[in-house]
Amino acid sequence: MPTHSMVIATVCLALFTASAAFAEGPNVGKPIDAADIAAWDISIQPDGTGLPAGGGTPADGARIYAEKCAQCHGPDGKGGVAGVAAAPLVGGAPITDISAATKTIANFWPYATTLFDYTRRAMPWQQPMTLTNDEVYALTAYILAQNNLIGENDTMNAQTLPKVRMPNRDGFIARFPEAM
């Protein structure tokens, strides 16, 4: 019959052996490095931090819009076509209070960089993240020009896009003003 000391020694040995095995891990997956994380870290800040290289004009964006966006957002960007409830991208009366029925890019969004970020992540909705950076810049330029927020000949890129002043920029309370 084992003694109390032998039982304690056996339990300690089992725990020590198990902890050594768990320290090695279950060997599921592979270690991730900074380059792997960077490929998924596509966040764009209001000041333009994170914007990629590239650029585009409203004219380039008009061609891309006709091919990849109009079928949902309509030919003029003012809302979805029959059977598609896509949000309007152009127009919208000034917002006077939070209950405004139609919030659009021009009357609600506080930063032009948000348009780039959202378009790159989510559009086209049936194939998100398939647009090149140049296509996203061009679409952003086209939508901003259609809303009379930039000129028809302006180029949007990592330097110019953060400088676009959106009409409702001051309509929000910054959660982290020190980061602005």
Side-chain angles (χ1 to χ4, degrees):
M1 179 150 219
T3 66
H4 182 60
S5 301
M6 290 173 63
V7 170
I8 291 175
T10 304
V11 168
C12 287
L13 179 62
L15 289 173
F16 178 75
T17 303
S19 67
F22 287 127
E24 292 178 16
N27 295 322
V28 177
K30 65 177 186 171
I32 190 166
D33 63 17
D36 293 327
I37 294 170
W40 284 91
D41 184 14
I42 60 170
S43 298
I44 308 298
Q45 301 301 312
D47 67 359
T49 301
L51 281 169
T57 65
D60 296 333
R63 288 187 290 280
I64 298 163
Y65 181 88
E67 178 187 338
K68 298 183 179 186
C69 310
Q71 60 269 28
C72 293
H73 292 282
D76 57 4
K78 294 187 178 178
V81 295
V84 180
L89 304 175
V90 177
I95 292 180
T96 56
D97 62 59
I98 195 65
S99 65
T102 302
K103 295 177 178 78
T104 65
I105 292 164
N107 73 2
F108 185 70
W109 292 27
Y111 302 101
T113 54
T114 305
L115 175 56
F116 182 96
D117 188 44
Y118 181 78
T119 303
R120 182 165 69 159
R121 289 174 188 276
M123 295 292 134
W125 73 268
Q126 68 276 40
Q127 294 178 304
M129 296 181 65
T130 59
L131 299 169
T132 68
N133 292 333
D134 287 336
E135 287 176 316
V136 178
Y137 276 118
L139 286 168
T140 301
Y142 174 71
I143 293 166
L144 292 173
Q146 290 299 107
N147 281 290
N148 298 315
L149 298 172
I150 66 169
E152 288 293 326
N153 297 315
D154 290 346
T155 297
M156 290 293 101
N157 56 44
Q159 291 72 43
T160 58
L161 185 60
K163 295 176 183 173
V164 175
R165 178 113 178 129
M166 300 296 280
N168 198 37
R169 179 177 279 189
D170 298 326
F172 290 81
I173 298 171
R175 183 168 182 199
F176 302 105
E178 67 281 358
M180 302 308 281

